[in-house]
Amino acid sequence: MKGFILSFRSEFYKTRKTMGFWSAVLLPLLLCLFVFIGFFYKSDGLINNSSMELWLKFAAPILGVMGLLLMPMLIIFIAYSVNSLEHKADTWKTIFSLPISKLSVYAAKYFYAFFLVFFCLALFVLFTIGFGNLLGVIKPSLKFSEYSIASILAQIYFKFFLASLGILSIQFLLSLLFSDFIKPMGIGFVCVIVGGILAGNSWQYAYLFPYSHPMMAMKALGPAKNGGNHPSAMPHFTVDLLTKDTWVSLVIAVVVFIAGYFIVLRKSVK
Amino acid sequence: MVINTQNLTFTFGNQTVVKSLSLQVPEGSIYGFLGPNGAGKTTTIKLLLNLLKTQEGSISIFDLDLQNNRIKILSQIGSLIEQPAIYLHLTGRENLMNRALLLQIPETRVDEMLRLVHLQDAAHKKAGQYSLGMKQRLGIALALLSDPKLLILDEPTNGLDPNGIIEIRELLMKLTGEYKKTVFISSHLLAEIQKMATHVGIINHGELMFQGSIQELEALSKPSVQIETDQAVEAANFLKKNNVNVSEVSDHHVFVPYTSKESMGEINAMLNQNGYMVYSINKQQQDLEKLFLAITQNA
């Protein structure tokens, strides 16, 4: 366990000055900032919206761009980035000759990639809420303060995270095996397009294909129901966290993690 | 013995890269592991570090079996394999700090290592901007960081200028002399190793051709008499006619196997009395480089 923690900290130390790490920070920051600027200049047309409508209009473009387009790309890039660090520096032989078990070294890298995606998605929640509230403060006519979207937003992004694990683990393994960018990127890109088409056309077996999962996660956002006896009588949303595609994603992540470890052991180091 | 391998054999596909290798590296030695490029040196080193799985034979380091004591053994080894493995986007100091973090080594040791390899002025420069020699020195600092008992260095002087080579040599001699470390160093150049090695192993096509102390290696080389004369070819023919064995003739020199001081004097007198001008005559140890070539080419 100590070896794992040390390796994990070292992963952070090594990547903190790379694009892989900063893309996980800049992507949510810039995306939320652009939508913030858009709202700021179009605030007049939004005054009549209810608080909840405002939040939904604010969060939806961010979610849409992120979930459908950018997230699979970000996952491919992060998986590549944490591995290419070692390929480029020719350091596999060094990290596997440290007095730390090979499993710890491998697992730390794997979970660090997961952490980066989690971190990025958590920042999306944080920045969406932060910029929304900031809008409410500088444009008091926009009634952002009357509704809290935090819980539902956190659930949606957590669902995204779970949905991304399958892709992430496959891309991680590809990037571990191939030292160039083209192969994992090319395979990933083609799969993302195929996954998008499958999920977009609601093919019944799309849940078995991990690259369809982010788009399917978007669809998991349940339809608005009338709150009924809800005190504010506002509609509320449900997020079905553990749908069958999420289970497939989790199973793939576990299987690929184990398979990857044996590949690393068998492959030794060139 | 610090390193002891028994019948180590390793095959890539159907090519046997290391054949039944039995290395014995005594404590406190600088063991020069020599062989031409492609002889199996790097593969052997990767086996010693458990980067490649042992297929046949056994490896014991510090009298412990490597397979069953991997972490314990690796914690006492510092290594540098081929070109140094350095994160180019980090500074020299950050590269050392990262390793110190992994091995739980205090920061003071990092600065100590930077001073040792004369990189303190470039400590905050990105390693990507380092010259080859600086990278090599950083690689050595990384290997020494954990104060290991055994250093395994694969061609550590590659890319260093003569000054750098001398520095490394002095550093390694100091480490074994004062700090009782053991150094296992591979090279394809005997001349580079000769000045510091206490023991030598010569490998070719994966097979160990020679193993022993540097004195034992030198004993294999037979001395000869080098005669500088105005008419080398004629002098050589003259000597042959007088039943003196001639081993080699060049434009200005004749080489005769050395037997004794007296016979050297007789040859000198004989040549002088018969009209050959002898400019110089001296006993010469056979070049170890030639011996190395002879050993590796006989395979």
Side-chain angles (χ1 to χ4, degrees):
Chain A
M1 196 60 199
K2 201 173 86 182
F4 174 80
I5 294 167
L6 291 172
S7 299
F8 194 90
R9 277 175 58 199
S10 161
E11 288 301 323
F12 171 70
Y13 190 85
K14 283 185 288 194
T15 53
R16 76 202 199 291
K17 287 184 180 174
T18 62
M19 268 314 287
F21 177 78
W22 282 103
S23 64
V25 176
L26 290 175
L27 188 69
L29 180 68
L30 293 178
L31 212 56
C32 294
L33 186 68
F34 290 149
V35 177
F36 170 82
I37 293 169
F39 263 60
F40 183 80
Y41 286 106
K42 289 197 168 170
S43 60
D44 295 345
L46 296 162
I47 291 171
N48 294 326
N49 284 297
S50 75
S51 179
M52 192 187 76
E53 283 170 336
L54 269 179
W55 274 113
L56 291 182
K57 280 187 179 169
F58 188 69
I62 302 172
L63 261 171
V65 173
M66 179 59 194
L68 300 181
L69 190 69
L70 290 178
M71 197 168 80
M73 290 293 120
L74 179 78
I75 291 168
I76 292 171
F77 183 65
I78 285 178
Y80 161 76
S81 177
V82 293
N83 285 299
S84 82
L85 192 73
E86 313 296 346
H87 288 310
K88 267 194 223 152
D90 199 9
T91 33
W92 288 112
K93 60 192 183 198
T94 321
I95 58 172
F96 283 121
S97 61
L98 292 169
I100 293 175
S101 77
K102 289 182 184 179
L103 178 64
S104 296
V105 172
Y106 166 75
K109 216 172 222 337
Y110 192 84
F111 283 103
Y112 185 71
F114 278 27
F115 163 76
L116 278 184
V117 172
F118 182 84
F119 178 61
C120 174
L121 295 174
L123 287 180
F124 264 106
V125 176
L126 213 68
F127 287 140
T128 305
I129 295 169
F131 278 117
N133 282 312
L134 185 65
L135 264 178
V137 171
I138 50 180
K139 294 265 181 187
S141 55
L142 299 176
K143 300 180 283 281
F144 271 100
S145 58
E146 288 169 16
Y147 179 77
S148 169
I149 200 172
S151 143
I152 188 80
L153 208 57
Q155 285 182 61
I156 295 171
Y157 277 102
F158 187 64
K159 171 89 183 165
F160 263 144
F161 173 67
L162 295 178
S164 70
L165 297 184
I167 308 182
L168 183 57
S169 56
I170 293 171
Q171 288 298 136
F172 183 88
L173 192 60
L174 289 174
S175 300
L176 184 78
L177 294 176
F178 302 115
S179 56
D180 60 352
F181 184 52
I182 303 299
K183 286 189 200 100
M185 180 72 188
I187 296 170
F189 197 72
V190 170
C191 288
V192 166
I193 293 171
V194 172
I197 294 171
L198 295 181
N201 291 321
S202 305
W203 185 53
Q204 57 173 329
Y205 297 115
Y207 72 93
L208 290 174
F209 189 59
Y211 291 82
S212 297
H213 293 168
M215 194 184 259
M216 294 178 82
M218 281 290 280
K219 292 182 173 175
L221 181 64
K225 296 176 201 152
N226 249 324
N229 52 5
H230 198 265
S232 58
M234 268 207 269
H236 65 142
F237 296 90
T238 53
V239 176
D240 197 357
L241 269 183
L242 291 169
T243 46
K244 57 184 175 182
D245 53 299
T246 315
W247 283 113
V248 171
S249 181
L250 286 171
V251 169
I252 288 175
V254 173
V255 170
V256 173
F257 174 76
I258 296 167
Y261 177 62
F262 285 103
I263 291 173
V264 165
L265 276 192
R266 283 197 55 140
K267 191 180 142 190
S268 294
V269 175
K270 274 177 277 174
Chain B
M1 290 292 154
V2 171
I3 300 176
N4 194 347
T5 72
Q6 295 295 331
N7 300 320
L8 196 60
T9 301
F10 191 83
T11 315
F12 272 123
N14 51 13
Q15 192 195 357
T16 308
V17 192
V18 174
K19 285 176 204 154
S20 193
L21 201 63
S22 296
L23 295 173
Q24 263 95 41
V25 179
E27 190 174 359
S29 63
I30 298 185
Y31 187 102
F33 190 47
L34 294 161
N37 290 328
K41 299 189 296 289
T42 300
T43 305
T44 306
I45 286 180
K46 287 185 173 173
L47 285 165
L48 292 177
L49 292 169
N50 197 232
L51 286 170
L52 292 172
K53 250 190 147 61
T54 309
Q55 295 169 337
E56 265 177 65
S58 67
I59 302 173
S60 86
I61 299 179
F62 307 121
D63 297 321
L64 294 169
D65 176 53
L66 181 63
Q67 292 298 326
N68 302 317
N69 300 278
R70 178 179 174 268
I71 290 181
K72 196 171 173 199
I73 290 172
L74 287 179
S75 66
Q76 300 177 65
I77 298 182
S79 62
L80 172 64
I81 313 159
E82 292 170 316
Q83 66 273 43
I86 288 167
Y87 298 106
L88 301 179
H89 68 286
L90 299 178
T91 66
R93 193 170 187 282
E94 283 170 336
N95 268 287
L96 284 162
M97 278 301 293
N98 177 53
R99 185 71 64 85
L101 192 82
L102 280 165
L103 302 176
Q104 296 179 288
I105 291 164
E107 206 174 328
T108 49
R109 177 85 185 156
V110 168
D111 296 313
E112 206 179 302
M113 286 301 108
L114 284 167
R115 276 195 301 277
L116 184 74
V117 297
H118 304 297
L119 281 176
Q120 66 269 49
D121 293 333
H124 299 286
K125 207 163 126 180
K126 282 223 165 88
Q129 295 165 3
Y130 279 14
S131 68
L132 194 56
M134 287 162 92
K135 284 181 192 163
Q136 206 73 23
R137 268 150 49 204
L138 181 59
I140 289 171
L142 283 164
L144 285 172
L145 188 65
S146 63
D147 197 22
K149 280 205 268 182
L150 168 65
L151 263 181
I152 296 183
L153 307 171
D154 190 12
E155 313 252 353
T157 50
N158 260 0
L160 291 184
D161 55 20
N163 263 330
I165 294 176
I166 293 168
E167 268 178 33
I168 298 291
R169 188 187 301 149
E170 284 172 355
L171 175 65
L172 295 180
M173 287 166 87
K174 191 172 147 187
L175 286 171
T176 51
E178 286 177 32
Y179 301 100
K180 302 289 167 228
K181 310 274 182 206
T182 306
V183 178
F184 183 89
I185 179 172
S186 84
S187 178
H188 60 275
L189 300 169
L190 175 66
E192 206 180 86
I193 297 292
Q194 198 183 336
K195 294 195 180 92
M196 60 175 160
T198 56
H199 293 74
V200 178
I202 297 176
I203 182 179
N204 197 22
H205 301 299
E207 277 179 279
L208 199 60
M209 313 300 293
F210 172 87
Q211 177 167 247
S213 68
I214 196 98
Q215 290 80 9
E216 286 173 274
L217 181 67
E218 278 166 355
L220 282 181
S221 81
K222 296 181 190 71
S224 60
V225 180
Q226 176 187 287
I227 307 155
E228 190 184 1
T229 167
D230 56 345
Q231 313 159 62
V233 180
E234 290 79 358
N237 287 330
F238 168 76
L239 287 173
K240 274 183 195 163
K241 264 183 228 161
N242 289 282
N243 295 324
V244 178
N245 201 356
V246 174
S247 56
E248 198 184 331
V249 187
S250 68
D251 286 350
H252 306 287
H253 295 100
V254 180
F255 296 89
V256 176
Y258 176 85
T259 45
S260 64
K261 278 183 190 171
E262 289 72 25
S263 72
M264 213 163 105
E266 281 164 17
I267 290 169
N268 190 16
M270 212 154 54
L271 288 171
N272 275 318
Q273 284 158 11
N274 288 279
Y276 298 99
M277 175 85 83
V278 175
Y279 300 132
S280 71
I281 180 164
N282 56 325
K283 178 186 165 191
Q284 206 187 38
Q285 204 68 31
Q286 191 192 336
D287 197 352
L288 279 184
E289 201 68 39
K290 274 187 194 158
L291 181 69
F292 173 55
L293 284 175
I295 291 174
T296 52
Q297 278 167 358
N298 279 341

